[in-house]
Amino acid sequence: MAKIAYLLLCHKDPEGIIAQAQRLTAVGDFVAIHFDGRAKAADFDKIHSSLAANPNVVFTKRRAKCGWGEWSLVEATLMAVEAAVDAFPRATHFYMLSGDCMPIKSAEFAQKFLDREEVDYIESFDYFNSDWIKTGIKEERLIYRHYFNERTHKKLFYASMHWQDKLGLTRKVPADIAMQIGSQWWCLRRRTVESVLEFTKKRRDVMRFFRTTWIPDETFFQTIVRHIVPEHELRTRTLTFLMFTDYGMPVTFYNDNYDLLISQDYLFARKISPDAKDLKDRLGKLYAAKGVRFAISNEGRSLFKFISGRGRVGRRFAPRFWETESSLGRHRTLMMVTCKKWHVAKRLVERVRQVTNLPALDYLFNEASTPLPDLGGIQSTLEKRTRHRRALMRVLFDYWQTDQLVVCIDPANVDLMQDFYNDKAKVRLLEIECDFTDDYLIGHAIRVGLASESTPKDTIERLLPTIRYDVKFEGDRIRDAGFPNLLRVRQSASIDENTVPLAEFLDISPEKAREIAATEYLFVD
């Protein structure tokens, strides 16, 4: 059975560190602690005196003074690894943790999980070809020698790079090393960490290189492990659940996130708020529990993206330079159908095709699979369709040799609607108002990844009002936009009531409009 040695890197909250170590060792696992050399001596003394008698806890022989982005973080990790390897010969796995991490599964679950496969868990992506680095310098992290910290000595940091470039002092990555990058929160087998320690003693050239790279905690272990471990024994993922905001800051979890956290496909989570006492207490008890069954729904990231993005509606499609003078044509009419229930809009436009013979398209700006003729490649991806939307519409008008075209557009695409309304062509908009039951909204949440079949009921109940409001909010945005020629059909309206707006929208006779409105299965879910 797996025995885990946790490598705990920390710099604050002595009470939390003590509780963390006691919690992890109470079930038979081990902890190696590195407490930042810059932290208060009194805090370290408190931790050391409280845990000194615990045989499953060891401290590093010395304390490095750590700085974000510096080699000192890797140095501290290596010291913790060495201490754990020497002190705990029965440890089978070595798991990186910070003081902000908490278990979100039981120790029993974690042991069975690690016993399942003889592999290492570490994010390890190609440094140059992956998009792991979202912002900031990339190649410069490696080809220059970094002696200053960007956060504390910004001017010196960038001046040093400038002069190295000017004097031709750039360097190359060691020839036999394929540079990798990924999260620093890994879990490695014993033989892997022993091989890493052996590598550090033999390859002094590689060690010298990494000592002056920038943010080496995201590259050192990720590169070395990939170098010494066969591909089939690696799982390129972390077992610690963490998320980042759009600003690159870690998401912090609080007391009300318990159900969300334990349903994720991870063993630990960071960052847990120091003030989330109830959450820490519940997760601590969970780690020691036996026989707990976990329903893994794994919707955390998509749920966070959905919730945090609700207020960001200030985007718009700026006119492209090649479209400044372009138009669909003054003599043409574009009819847009919008409905959150895509299947309802698709049924409506299918009936429009059958009854009127007007060319009508499904959600061509939302679904890549929407059937389209070969238009020379402009239709090949959603990105191209959206970027060249007016050109695409002109080509479609020409392809069908028509002056009238019906298209479906999602209610969230108000900016796209506005762009077409700004055209010289005649534009009309038909909004289909549907009833949304709780069951439908739950199904919608599952389809878009906000939940799964195993998401706890309490989480679903908290999520439902937000989803319902989101649907209503999209309708409100359409009304607030003040679009002319906006017509509306409703699921709750009668056939006669829906016939009038349909006839006006499609510019057809009331008899044909009634034939469409009378479609029995139109609103069926």
Side-chain angles (χ1 to χ4, degrees):
M1 180 179 290
K3 299 286 287 184
I4 307 171
Y6 292 103
L7 313 173
L8 187 54
L9 269 59
C10 44
H11 65 282
K12 61 180 181 179
D13 188 18
E15 291 83 5
I17 299 304
I18 294 167
Q20 177 86 306
Q22 291 173 337
R23 181 184 306 117
L24 297 175
T25 57
V27 298
D29 288 324
F30 312 105
V31 176
I33 298 176
H34 177 276
F35 196 71
D36 192 348
R38 299 183 189 274
K40 296 178 181 178
D43 287 347
F44 175 74
D45 292 341
K46 183 175 184 178
I47 297 170
H48 191 275
S49 61
S50 298
L51 298 174
N54 190 327
N56 285 5
V57 175
V58 67
F59 292 86
T60 56
K61 293 180 179 179
R62 62 183 183 86
R63 295 162 55 201
K65 293 183 178 180
C66 297
W68 187 90
E70 297 178 5
W71 168 255
S72 53
L73 289 174
V74 178
E75 183 183 19
T77 305
L78 286 172
M79 286 193 288
V81 169
E82 290 173 343
V85 168
D86 291 341
F88 310 126
R90 294 191 298 124
T92 61
H93 293 77
F94 295 76
Y95 196 123
M96 271 284 294
L97 287 179
S98 77
D100 296 320
C101 295
M102 284 292 293
I104 55 175
K105 297 290 184 296
S106 63
E108 181 182 62
F109 181 97
Q111 291 164 354
K112 290 180 180 179
F113 182 93
L114 294 177
D115 284 336
R116 197 179 305 161
E117 289 187 284
E118 186 63 23
V119 295
D120 296 305
Y121 296 90
I122 182 169
E123 282 192 354
S124 182
F125 304 102
D126 185 278
Y127 186 92
F128 297 101
N129 296 322
S130 71
D131 63 346
W132 202 87
I133 298 176
K134 303 297 184 185
T135 60
I137 61 175
K138 186 171 184 178
E139 184 184 28
E140 293 86 349
R141 290 192 188 186
L142 309 177
I143 64 173
Y144 299 120
R145 296 163 182 83
H146 296 278
Y147 301 105
F148 305 101
N149 191 300
E150 185 195 25
R151 291 191 170 185
T152 57
H153 299 91
K154 187 179 289 288
K155 289 183 178 180
L156 290 173
F157 180 87
Y158 287 103
S160 172
M161 286 200 299
H162 169 74
W163 281 107
Q164 288 181 67
D165 179 59
K166 195 166 186 176
L167 296 173
L169 298 178
T170 58
R171 60 180 177 175
K172 294 182 179 179
V173 175
D176 62 330
I177 297 294
M179 190 61 59
Q180 306 290 306
I181 192 167
S183 168
Q184 65 269 49
W185 310 110
W186 41 255
C187 178
L188 304 176
R189 295 166 296 172
R190 184 180 194 89
R191 69 185 185 193
T192 300
V193 298
E194 289 176 342
S195 296
V196 169
L197 293 176
E198 184 179 356
F199 182 94
T200 63
K201 296 173 183 176
K202 290 183 177 180
R203 294 297 302 272
R204 295 298 179 183
D205 59 323
V206 176
M207 297 298 286
R208 284 194 300 272
F209 173 81
F210 275 107
R211 283 180 187 276
T212 52
T213 58
W214 181 237
I215 320 182
D217 54 311
E218 294 180 351
T219 55
F220 179 79
F221 285 95
Q222 296 78 358
T223 300
I224 305 308
V225 169
R226 175 74 68 172
H227 186 75
I228 62 180
V229 176
E231 177 77 25
H232 68 274
E233 294 182 17
L234 289 177
R235 296 294 177 267
T236 307
R237 59 161 296 187
T238 175
L239 297 180
T240 298
F241 179 62
L242 65 161
M243 298 189 297
F244 291 89
T245 68
D246 291 351
Y247 305 101
M249 300 299 292
V251 173
T252 300
F253 299 105
Y254 297 93
N255 288 331
D256 58 350
N257 293 133
Y258 178 83
D259 290 331
L260 170 73
L261 291 176
I262 67 171
S263 65
Q264 305 311 304
D265 186 21
Y266 297 85
L267 304 183
F268 278 75
R270 74 177 303 265
K271 291 179 139 184
I272 308 298
S273 169
D275 298 323
K277 306 296 184 184
D278 291 343
L279 177 61
K280 288 187 174 185
D281 183 61
R282 294 180 71 184
L283 292 176
K285 292 177 180 177
L286 176 68
Y287 190 68
K290 299 286 186 181
V292 180
R293 296 178 64 87
F294 294 90
I296 307 298
S297 54
N298 217 34
E299 77 283 3
R301 287 190 173 86
S302 58
L303 187 59
F304 174 76
K305 183 178 180 182
F306 170 75
I307 297 296
S308 62
R310 292 310 87 201
R312 297 170 191 163
V313 296
R315 296 168 295 173
R316 65 180 179 86
F317 286 106
R320 315 299 181 181
F321 70 89
W322 62 82
E323 292 182 336
T324 303
E325 300 301 328
S326 68
S327 171
L328 305 184
R330 293 182 183 274
H331 59 291
R332 285 172 168 166
T333 301
L334 178 65
M335 293 166 276
M336 298 181 291
V337 177
T338 186
C339 181
K340 199 61 183 179
K341 290 187 178 181
W342 289 5
H343 60 279
V344 174
K346 289 179 181 180
R347 288 172 188 159
L348 182 93
V349 299
E350 176 58 29
R351 288 294 287 150
V352 168
R353 284 190 285 262
Q354 294 171 357
V355 175
T356 68
N357 289 322
L358 284 172
L361 292 159
D362 295 344
Y363 288 86
L364 75 165
F365 295 108
N366 302 100
E367 289 185 305
S369 59
T370 298
L372 288 171
D374 185 355
L375 305 173
I378 193 174
Q379 83 295 341
S380 58
T381 66
L382 290 177
E383 182 184 7
K384 281 188 177 181
R385 295 177 197 175
T386 303
R387 185 189 310 136
H388 306 296
R389 55 202 173 276
R390 291 195 189 182
L392 175 64
M393 288 294 104
R394 287 199 308 273
V395 173
L396 287 170
F397 275 111
D398 292 339
Y399 178 85
W400 277 301
Q401 298 181 357
T402 182
D403 290 334
Q404 292 180 302
L405 186 62
V406 181
V407 297
C408 295
I409 296 181
D410 187 88
N413 291 1
V414 175
D415 299 320
L416 188 61
M417 300 174 194
Q418 184 67 67
D419 190 66
F420 284 128
Y421 263 107
N422 290 337
D423 193 85
K424 297 174 183 177
K426 301 180 186 71
V427 180
R428 293 197 287 266
L429 178 63
L430 179 71
E431 182 185 6
I432 306 176
E433 282 190 3
C434 296
D435 300 332
F436 292 92
T437 63
D438 285 352
D439 287 343
Y440 178 84
L441 292 177
I442 292 171
H444 172 72
I446 293 173
R447 285 191 294 275
V448 300
L450 298 178
S452 73
E453 298 290 350
S454 56
T455 297
K457 184 179 179 181
D458 290 346
T459 301
I460 291 289
E461 289 177 351
R462 288 197 299 269
L463 182 60
L464 272 176
T466 303
I467 299 176
R468 187 176 294 281
Y469 175 78
D470 195 58
V471 173
K472 179 180 180 298
F473 177 72
E474 290 176 353
D476 289 342
R477 285 188 67 205
I478 292 174
R479 292 167 181 75
D480 293 341
F483 294 133
N485 303 318
L486 169 61
L487 299 148
R488 193 172 292 112
V489 297
R490 299 179 176 85
Q491 181 174 352
S492 58
S494 66
I495 294 175
D496 289 338
E497 289 173 327
N498 284 335
T499 295
V500 176
L502 276 173
E504 185 177 349
F505 174 70
L506 296 168
D507 193 19
I508 57 177
S509 66
E511 291 75 22
K512 287 187 175 182
R514 182 179 177 80
E515 189 177 346
I516 297 170
T519 304
E520 292 182 0
Y521 54 85
L522 184 60
F523 292 102
V524 175
D525 287 335

